[in-house]
Amino acid sequence: MESAADKVAAARAELLAAYYEARDNGDAEGMAAAALRLPSSQYFGTDAGQVPALIHEAYTVAVGPASRCRLAAALARAWAYGGEARRAVAFAREAVTIADRLGDPEVVADALDAALLANWGPDDFAERPALSARLADVAAHLIDPAQRLTAQLWCLTTAWECLDVVAVQRRLRALDIIAEESGSARAAFFAASRRAMHALVTGDLDTADRLIAITHDLGGKAAEPDREAVVHSLVAARARQIGDTATLRSEAAAFEAYGAGEGVPSVSAEAAVLWLAADEPDRARQLLHRLTGAGLGTVARDVDFLLTVTSLVEVAATLHSDAIVADGVRLLEPFAGRAVLNAGAVTFHGVVDDYLHRAEQALGGPSATRWRDNAASAYRRIGAAWWRDRLIAPAAAMRPAPPVTVHLHRDGTLGWVVGADGTTVVLPDLKGLFYLRELLRSPGVESSVLDLSAAAPGHAGVVTESDTAEVVDRQALAAYHDRLRAIDVELDEAESWTDQAGLDRLRLEREALLAEVRTATGLGGRRRRFSSAHERARIAVRKAIASTLDRIELHDAPLARLLRDTIHTGASCRYDPDPARPVTWLLDSPTTEE
């Protein structure tokens, strides 16, 4: 039996033969007829090959404005399908301009479809609802079911992006009607696949299974180029929901191979998510590092921008790659409130707020709860039960970070070696590095700043009696005791009070005074003496550590963040390890005596 891929290849070969024959005969209209059908043989997101060149050739010799308009739209479509939307914009704009001048509904509908494809990036969302509404209005008066199908698919995509559940239902029913009225296998393929997506979103897995099978069969009958991509996307989404590890591994491997082979970053990013869901964090980490080597800022702002960035942020948050997560927050915040869809709106990947929540939670940011509540509200509204349940139990999805080995030691005259294995840098003899090393040697132990400062060259020195003064003088301390006695009397007599606020104020004042007395006195009530040398050491140590962390951040931002989170400075200093980020510290040079 001939496969769908074979049918697509045969159809393309037939179109190319017709095109070349028309060109050899100087038949511009024949060239246009074949060229207009070439984009339908493309696989979405993959390199367009010679298709744009052939369409452009027909475009340059087009006879009449209607033909030129359709060829400009086809050229825009070919570039957009090939992942080159920026090349498509000018041709789509020209197509709409000519179509509006001609006033032919069929030509206008074709041009609007091209304009939507060319403006499918994350920054063009404001234009899409108006374009899709206009396309639906024009297509409603057309007989051609293919153009009506295109219009309804655009409206459905926009409805999902807006999370408009009523509009989603309406457009799904419109697709059903087009398939029923036309008897077209292609229309039925799109109706079934989008119904399958909706069933997965709402957790109706029995219906989803039935529709996925129908989608597969209809895609073969219609020789739809994207059949395999559509079915793989739906099957992978279902496997995630039920935790089918075997299927997840199979789909992750397929996504990874396709993404690498065709150079499609969004598919590779999805593969990383699937590897993570399949309990293969090392495979997910490899893809994450491969895709983010130049940072998330290099992700193309095309139709798959949100899918690519959210997928990578999910993996990074789970695997504690904080620098990537922080970059993702910056990129995603402008798109809060939006749905995340794959190209063609075949599968739903949650809402941006969900990923912002996961990112802020991983970073310990203050906005995690707000993003979680926003996402939960969106999921309740559209009935996305699996996504909502996954959101309210995020801890289950978080994995402990693998232990890492980090160097922080001197290496003879070379300087200080700082950083994780394989990514170390050499820093000069900064005092803060001496202080950090001493603290890292004794986790959880309080270290006096005077003892700590002695660990570095040029420390503060010995404290003498002349360097000290009483923290609080006798007169002030006596006043504190007098006021405490007065407050105790007032509280003893307060049983009949109804002024709860007044009672609270007295208790707070009492606690504050007790804290001052504890600070000013030592064992046996003796007044503590405060050292000016001690204060100088406290300031010097704090500044030295802060300056050193700034220096480390220039080379290794995650390490600087870890140290800021776990090193505490003050009158005494302490290192409190973070169990979620285990580290093996190498504090002594393995080869050189200091």
Side-chain angles (χ1 to χ4, degrees), residues 331-353:
L331 291 172
L332 292 176
E333 277 188 330
F335 305 105
R338 292 263 294 277
V340 182
L341 310 169
N342 70 342
V346 175
T347 44
F348 175 78
H349 293 263
V351 295
V352 171
D353 308 66

Side-chain angles (χ1 to χ4, degrees), residues 91-104:
F91 294 105
R93 189 177 298 123
E94 180 186 2
V96 172
T97 300
I98 297 174
D100 285 342
R101 191 163 60 244
L102 292 171
D104 182 332

